[in-house]
Amino acid sequence: GAYRLHIDGGASLDRLELAALGELDLEKERFEGEIEWRDFTWPLSGEPVQVESRNGKAQVTGWTDDWRMEGSAELAAPELASGTLSFRAEGDTERARFVVPAAKVLGGRVAGEGFFDRAGNGSFEARLALTDIDASALYPERPAILSGGLAISGGFEPLSLDLDATELVAKVEGRAISANGRVHYRPGVLAFREFELRSADSTVMLNGNPGRPEGVVFEADVAELGEFLPGFSGRLAGGGRFSNTADGPWLELDIQGRELAWDDYRVTAIRAVSTPDPGTGRLADLREEVEQVDAVETHVESGVVTADIGRELLDVGIDLKIGERHLVARLPGRIVNPDQAWEEWLW
């Protein structure tokens, strides 16, 4: 009819081919049709290809202020079996909601749902259930196999992000690291709510907000440091508290390490303690005791390093036994431009 437009066309970009077939009702402002694609790759620039969709299609109905989409796509990644992703989505000019009922992709399975609202600060949320998803195709710098639950929400303007992990397990180089709890990011603030990392017999816990007087509490009982930091080894245990309020930053600490090693450095034993008085403007009253330190070609039998760190003043003391020598020094100083320095130190 006079108010209907039949569409049958296509386009190509390098290997990517797009085709659209449908009917547009100009009087009712409604479109109904199908979109297909072949040989979609990510990244679009080409090599190396991380994710590929050899073919896919989506049924689209509605108009910009009330649309619906349902489709499926074949997905593949290098050295992984190809899989199929099915999805449903609906929305209008401001909002979109999507559902992935079940999909076999990236070597595993995923299901989830999400929502995006570009009005206001551009809020978004998503809930995912993952089973043996190989994330190396998405993040090749740190390959991992992911399983568990992950909820993500936040906004873009300004950027805010809330992560809620439920038995989220990452298998990295044969080690399994599990995460539970919440992480909150707001401009200038990174806070935690009962956030815990576990790997074998090791645990790291974070809880609190550094922008509040009570600060963020951290505890660690790490049987093998290499489980969390590749290239490191040894045992680490202890904890502390850190806050950064209008009165200035403040660090309380009591942590011990045994048989630590990284690169050409070896430390048999170390203990670091900081017990500053809150409200005095001092960041830390730090005391480090070490035993049997090997650094390149230098061997330290034992030693004590102290650091009284204030907002502007810095006083460092050194007392080391290096073979037959005994080194004692005091290094008083001043921190230049403390406001900028603390901001850079914190972030």
mmCIF file with all atom_site columns, all heavy atoms in Angstrom, residues 3 24-31 62-66:
data_model
loop_
_atom_site.group_PDB
_atom_site.id
_atom_site.type_symbol
_atom_site.label_atom_id
_atom_site.label_alt_id
_atom_site.label_comp_id
_atom_site.label_asym_id
_atom_site.label_entity_id
_atom_site.label_seq_id
_atom_site.pdbx_PDB_ins_code
_atom_site.Cartn_x
_atom_site.Cartn_y
_atom_site.Cartn_z
_atom_site.occupancy
_atom_site.B_iso_or_equiv
_atom_site.pdbx_formal_charge
_atom_site.auth_seq_id
_atom_site.auth_comp_id
_atom_site.auth_asym_id
_atom_site.auth_atom_id
_atom_site.pdbx_PDB_model_num
ATOM 1   N N   . TYR A 1 3  ? 1.341  3.334  2.247  1.00 0.00 ? 3  TYR A N   1
ATOM 2   C CA  . TYR A 1 3  ? 2.025  3.650  3.496  1.00 0.00 ? 3  TYR A CA  1
ATOM 3   C C   . TYR A 1 3  ? 2.916  2.508  3.983  1.00 0.00 ? 3  TYR A C   1
ATOM 4   O O   . TYR A 1 3  ? 3.324  2.483  5.134  1.00 0.00 ? 3  TYR A O   1
ATOM 5   C CB  . TYR A 1 3  ? 0.991  3.983  4.579  1.00 0.00 ? 3  TYR A CB  1
ATOM 6   C CG  . TYR A 1 3  ? 0.196  5.219  4.272  1.00 0.00 ? 3  TYR A CG  1
ATOM 7   C CD1 . TYR A 1 3  ? -1.087 5.115  3.744  1.00 0.00 ? 3  TYR A CD1 1
ATOM 8   C CD2 . TYR A 1 3  ? 0.740  6.483  4.485  1.00 0.00 ? 3  TYR A CD2 1
ATOM 9   C CE1 . TYR A 1 3  ? -1.821 6.252  3.448  1.00 0.00 ? 3  TYR A CE1 1
ATOM 10  C CE2 . TYR A 1 3  ? 0.005  7.620  4.189  1.00 0.00 ? 3  TYR A CE2 1
ATOM 11  C CZ  . TYR A 1 3  ? -1.267 7.503  3.667  1.00 0.00 ? 3  TYR A CZ  1
ATOM 12  O OH  . TYR A 1 3  ? -1.992 8.630  3.364  1.00 0.00 ? 3  TYR A OH  1
ATOM 13  N N   . LEU A 1 24 ? 8.061  -1.971 6.592  1.00 0.00 ? 24 LEU A N   1
ATOM 14  C CA  . LEU A 1 24 ? 7.914  -0.775 7.418  1.00 0.00 ? 24 LEU A CA  1
ATOM 15  C C   . LEU A 1 24 ? 6.566  -0.127 7.128  1.00 0.00 ? 24 LEU A C   1
ATOM 16  O O   . LEU A 1 24 ? 6.279  0.238  5.989  1.00 0.00 ? 24 LEU A O   1
ATOM 17  C CB  . LEU A 1 24 ? 9.053  0.203  7.116  1.00 0.00 ? 24 LEU A CB  1
ATOM 18  C CG  . LEU A 1 24 ? 9.005  1.565  7.808  1.00 0.00 ? 24 LEU A CG  1
ATOM 19  C CD1 . LEU A 1 24 ? 9.082  1.393  9.327  1.00 0.00 ? 24 LEU A CD1 1
ATOM 20  C CD2 . LEU A 1 24 ? 10.153 2.455  7.318  1.00 0.00 ? 24 LEU A CD2 1
ATOM 21  N N   . ASP A 1 25 ? 5.730  -0.056 8.175  1.00 0.00 ? 25 ASP A N   1
ATOM 22  C CA  . ASP A 1 25 ? 4.428  0.598  8.057  1.00 0.00 ? 25 ASP A CA  1
ATOM 23  C C   . ASP A 1 25 ? 4.605  2.052  8.464  1.00 0.00 ? 25 ASP A C   1
ATOM 24  O O   . ASP A 1 25 ? 4.738  2.365  9.652  1.00 0.00 ? 25 ASP A O   1
ATOM 25  C CB  . ASP A 1 25 ? 3.411  -0.089 8.968  1.00 0.00 ? 25 ASP A CB  1
ATOM 26  C CG  . ASP A 1 25 ? 1.989  0.390  8.726  1.00 0.00 ? 25 ASP A CG  1
ATOM 27  O OD1 . ASP A 1 25 ? 1.811  1.600  8.484  1.00 0.00 ? 25 ASP A OD1 1
ATOM 28  O OD2 . ASP A 1 25 ? 1.068  -0.430 8.791  1.00 0.00 ? 25 ASP A OD2 1
ATOM 29  N N   . LEU A 1 26 ? 4.621  2.971  7.486  1.00 0.00 ? 26 LEU A N   1
ATOM 30  C CA  . LEU A 1 26 ? 4.886  4.377  7.770  1.00 0.00 ? 26 LEU A CA  1
ATOM 31  C C   . LEU A 1 26 ? 3.733  5.043  8.508  1.00 0.00 ? 26 LEU A C   1
ATOM 32  O O   . LEU A 1 26 ? 3.943  5.973  9.293  1.00 0.00 ? 26 LEU A O   1
ATOM 33  C CB  . LEU A 1 26 ? 5.168  5.116  6.457  1.00 0.00 ? 26 LEU A CB  1
ATOM 34  C CG  . LEU A 1 26 ? 6.386  4.627  5.670  1.00 0.00 ? 26 LEU A CG  1
ATOM 35  C CD1 . LEU A 1 26 ? 6.497  5.378  4.343  1.00 0.00 ? 26 LEU A CD1 1
ATOM 36  C CD2 . LEU A 1 26 ? 7.665  4.803  6.480  1.00 0.00 ? 26 LEU A CD2 1
ATOM 37  N N   . GLU A 1 27 ? 2.507  4.563  8.285  1.00 0.00 ? 27 GLU A N   1
ATOM 38  C CA  . GLU A 1 27 ? 1.357  5.170  8.946  1.00 0.00 ? 27 GLU A CA  1
ATOM 39  C C   . GLU A 1 27 ? 1.325  4.796  10.431 1.00 0.00 ? 27 GLU A C   1
ATOM 40  O O   . GLU A 1 27 ? 1.095  5.638  11.297 1.00 0.00 ? 27 GLU A O   1
ATOM 41  C CB  . GLU A 1 27 ? 0.068  4.715  8.263  1.00 0.00 ? 27 GLU A CB  1
ATOM 42  C CG  . GLU A 1 27 ? -1.178 5.376  8.836  1.00 0.00 ? 27 GLU A CG  1
ATOM 43  C CD  . GLU A 1 27 ? -2.429 4.948  8.087  1.00 0.00 ? 27 GLU A CD  1
ATOM 44  O OE1 . GLU A 1 27 ? -2.369 3.911  7.392  1.00 0.00 ? 27 GLU A OE1 1
ATOM 45  O OE2 . GLU A 1 27 ? -3.446 5.653  8.179  1.00 0.00 ? 27 GLU A OE2 1
ATOM 46  N N   . LYS A 1 28 ? 1.581  3.540  10.739 1.00 0.00 ? 28 LYS A N   1
ATOM 47  C CA  . LYS A 1 28 ? 1.567  3.078  12.127 1.00 0.00 ? 28 LYS A CA  1
ATOM 48  C C   . LYS A 1 28 ? 2.939  3.187  12.798 1.00 0.00 ? 28 LYS A C   1
ATOM 49  O O   . LYS A 1 28 ? 3.070  2.899  13.979 1.00 0.00 ? 28 LYS A O   1
ATOM 50  C CB  . LYS A 1 28 ? 1.099  1.618  12.179 1.00 0.00 ? 28 LYS A CB  1
ATOM 51  C CG  . LYS A 1 28 ? -0.338 1.428  11.702 1.00 0.00 ? 28 LYS A CG  1
ATOM 52  C CD  . LYS A 1 28 ? -0.734 -0.030 11.822 1.00 0.00 ? 28 LYS A CD  1
ATOM 53  C CE  . LYS A 1 28 ? -2.167 -0.253 11.365 1.00 0.00 ? 28 LYS A CE  1
ATOM 54  N NZ  . LYS A 1 28 ? -2.562 -1.676 11.471 1.00 0.00 ? 28 LYS A NZ  1
ATOM 55  N N   . GLU A 1 29 ? 3.952  3.592  12.033 1.00 0.00 ? 29 GLU A N   1
ATOM 56  C CA  . GLU A 1 29 ? 5.315  3.697  12.540 1.00 0.00 ? 29 GLU A CA  1
ATOM 57  C C   . GLU A 1 29 ? 5.735  2.384  13.198 1.00 0.00 ? 29 GLU A C   1
ATOM 58  O O   . GLU A 1 29 ? 6.088  2.325  14.388 1.00 0.00 ? 29 GLU A O   1
ATOM 59  C CB  . GLU A 1 29 ? 5.452  4.868  13.519 1.00 0.00 ? 29 GLU A CB  1
ATOM 60  C CG  . GLU A 1 29 ? 5.242  6.226  12.878 1.00 0.00 ? 29 GLU A CG  1
ATOM 61  C CD  . GLU A 1 29 ? 5.486  7.365  13.845 1.00 0.00 ? 29 GLU A CD  1
ATOM 62  O OE1 . GLU A 1 29 ? 5.386  7.130  15.067 1.00 0.00 ? 29 GLU A OE1 1
ATOM 63  O OE2 . GLU A 1 29 ? 5.790  8.474  13.380 1.00 0.00 ? 29 GLU A OE2 1
ATOM 64  N N   . ARG A 1 30 ? 5.720  1.345  12.396 1.00 0.00 ? 30 ARG A N   1
ATOM 65  C CA  . ARG A 1 30 ? 6.024  0.013  12.917 1.00 0.00 ? 30 ARG A CA  1
ATOM 66  C C   . ARG A 1 30 ? 6.850  -0.741 11.889 1.00 0.00 ? 30 ARG A C   1
ATOM 67  O O   . ARG A 1 30 ? 6.571  -0.693 10.687 1.00 0.00 ? 30 ARG A O   1
ATOM 68  C CB  . ARG A 1 30 ? 4.736  -0.748 13.234 1.00 0.00 ? 30 ARG A CB  1
ATOM 69  C CG  . ARG A 1 30 ? 4.951  -2.165 13.747 1.00 0.00 ? 30 ARG A CG  1
ATOM 70  C CD  . ARG A 1 30 ? 3.622  -2.841 14.037 1.00 0.00 ? 30 ARG A CD  1
ATOM 71  N NE  . ARG A 1 30 ? 3.804  -4.230 14.432 1.00 0.00 ? 30 ARG A NE  1
ATOM 72  C CZ  . ARG A 1 30 ? 4.088  -4.619 15.663 1.00 0.00 ? 30 ARG A CZ  1
ATOM 73  N NH1 . ARG A 1 30 ? 4.230  -3.703 16.608 1.00 0.00 ? 30 ARG A NH1 1
ATOM 74  N NH2 . ARG A 1 30 ? 4.245  -5.889 15.957 1.00 0.00 ? 30 ARG A NH2 1
ATOM 75  N N   . PHE A 1 31 ? 7.868  -1.461 12.398 1.00 0.00 ? 31 PHE A N   1
ATOM 76  C CA  . PHE A 1 31 ? 8.710  -2.274 11.525 1.00 0.00 ? 31 PHE A CA  1
ATOM 77  C C   . PHE A 1 31 ? 8.613  -3.727 11.979 1.00 0.00 ? 31 PHE A C   1
ATOM 78  O O   . PHE A 1 31 ? 8.571  -4.029 13.177 1.00 0.00 ? 31 PHE A O   1
ATOM 79  C CB  . PHE A 1 31 ? 10.159 -1.814 11.594 1.00 0.00 ? 31 PHE A CB  1
ATOM 80  C CG  . PHE A 1 31 ? 11.109 -2.709 10.847 1.00 0.00 ? 31 PHE A CG  1
ATOM 81  C CD1 . PHE A 1 31 ? 11.219 -2.601 9.469  1.00 0.00 ? 31 PHE A CD1 1
ATOM 82  C CD2 . PHE A 1 31 ? 11.862 -3.666 11.501 1.00 0.00 ? 31 PHE A CD2 1
ATOM 83  C CE1 . PHE A 1 31 ? 12.085 -3.438 8.768  1.00 0.00 ? 31 PHE A CE1 1
ATOM 84  C CE2 . PHE A 1 31 ? 12.729 -4.497 10.809 1.00 0.00 ? 31 PHE A CE2 1
ATOM 85  C CZ  . PHE A 1 31 ? 12.840 -4.377 9.436  1.00 0.00 ? 31 PHE A CZ  1
ATOM 86  N N   . GLY A 1 62 ? 8.182  -3.641 16.045 1.00 0.00 ? 62 GLY A N   1
ATOM 87  C CA  . GLY A 1 62 ? 7.897  -2.425 16.789 1.00 0.00 ? 62 GLY A CA  1
ATOM 88  C C   . GLY A 1 62 ? 8.504  -1.199 16.161 1.00 0.00 ? 62 GLY A C   1
ATOM 89  O O   . GLY A 1 62 ? 8.778  -1.151 14.954 1.00 0.00 ? 62 GLY A O   1
ATOM 90  N N   . TRP A 1 63 ? 8.729  -0.184 17.012 1.00 0.00 ? 63 TRP A N   1
ATOM 91  C CA  . TRP A 1 63 ? 9.283  1.090  16.575 1.00 0.00 ? 63 TRP A CA  1
ATOM 92  C C   . TRP A 1 63 ? 10.246 1.574  17.646 1.00 0.00 ? 63 TRP A C   1
ATOM 93  O O   . TRP A 1 63 ? 10.428 0.921  18.677 1.00 0.00 ? 63 TRP A O   1
ATOM 94  C CB  . TRP A 1 63 ? 8.163  2.089  16.290 1.00 0.00 ? 63 TRP A CB  1
ATOM 95  C CG  . TRP A 1 63 ? 8.582  3.291  15.491 1.00 0.00 ? 63 TRP A CG  1
ATOM 96  C CD1 . TRP A 1 63 ? 8.583  4.572  15.887 1.00 0.00 ? 63 TRP A CD1 1
ATOM 97  C CD2 . TRP A 1 63 ? 9.088  3.283  14.154 1.00 0.00 ? 63 TRP A CD2 1
ATOM 98  N NE1 . TRP A 1 63 ? 9.041  5.401  14.888 1.00 0.00 ? 63 TRP A NE1 1
ATOM 99  C CE2 . TRP A 1 63 ? 9.365  4.619  13.795 1.00 0.00 ? 63 TRP A CE2 1
ATOM 100 C CE3 . TRP A 1 63 ? 9.335  2.278  13.207 1.00 0.00 ? 63 TRP A CE3 1
ATOM 101 C CZ2 . TRP A 1 63 ? 9.882  4.987  12.556 1.00 0.00 ? 63 TRP A CZ2 1
ATOM 102 C CZ3 . TRP A 1 63 ? 9.839  2.650  11.969 1.00 0.00 ? 63 TRP A CZ3 1
ATOM 103 C CH2 . TRP A 1 63 ? 10.102 3.983  11.657 1.00 0.00 ? 63 TRP A CH2 1
ATOM 104 N N   . THR A 1 64 ? 10.846 2.730  17.440 1.00 0.00 ? 64 THR A N   1
ATOM 105 C CA  . THR A 1 64 ? 11.873 3.179  18.376 1.00 0.00 ? 64 THR A CA  1
ATOM 106 C C   . THR A 1 64 ? 11.355 3.342  19.801 1.00 0.00 ? 64 THR A C   1
ATOM 107 O O   . THR A 1 64 ? 12.099 3.152  20.759 1.00 0.00 ? 64 THR A O   1
ATOM 108 C CB  . THR A 1 64 ? 12.466 4.515  17.907 1.00 0.00 ? 64 THR A CB  1
ATOM 109 O OG1 . THR A 1 64 ? 11.413 5.479  17.756 1.00 0.00 ? 64 THR A OG1 1
ATOM 110 C CG2 . THR A 1 64 ? 13.205 4.343  16.598 1.00 0.00 ? 64 THR A CG2 1
ATOM 111 N N   . ASP A 1 65 ? 10.060 3.684  19.990 1.00 0.00 ? 65 ASP A N   1
ATOM 112 C CA  . ASP A 1 65 ? 9.535  3.906  21.333 1.00 0.00 ? 65 ASP A CA  1
ATOM 113 C C   . ASP A 1 65 ? 8.902  2.654  21.938 1.00 0.00 ? 65 ASP A C   1
ATOM 114 O O   . ASP A 1 65 ? 8.413  2.686  23.070 1.00 0.00 ? 65 ASP A O   1
ATOM 115 C CB  . ASP A 1 65 ? 8.510  5.042  21.335 1.00 0.00 ? 65 ASP A CB  1
ATOM 116 C CG  . ASP A 1 65 ? 7.347  4.778  20.405 1.00 0.00 ? 65 ASP A CG  1
ATOM 117 O OD1 . ASP A 1 65 ? 7.404  3.781  19.643 1.00 0.00 ? 65 ASP A OD1 1
ATOM 118 O OD2 . ASP A 1 65 ? 6.373  5.551  20.421 1.00 0.00 ? 65 ASP A OD2 1
ATOM 119 N N   . ASP A 1 66 ? 8.925  1.540  21.191 1.00 0.00 ? 66 ASP A N   1
ATOM 120 C CA  . ASP A 1 66 ? 8.390  0.285  21.727 1.00 0.00 ? 66 ASP A CA  1
ATOM 121 C C   . ASP A 1 66 ? 8.817  -0.843 20.791 1.00 0.00 ? 66 ASP A C   1
ATOM 122 O O   . ASP A 1 66 ? 8.116  -1.175 19.844 1.00 0.00 ? 66 ASP A O   1
ATOM 123 C CB  . ASP A 1 66 ? 6.860  0.343  21.849 1.00 0.00 ? 66 ASP A CB  1
ATOM 124 C CG  . ASP A 1 66 ? 6.277  -0.924 22.457 1.00 0.00 ? 66 ASP A CG  1
ATOM 125 O OD1 . ASP A 1 66 ? 7.056  -1.712 23.039 1.00 0.00 ? 66 ASP A OD1 1
ATOM 126 O OD2 . ASP A 1 66 ? 5.060  -1.126 22.325 1.00 0.00 ? 66 ASP A OD2 1
#
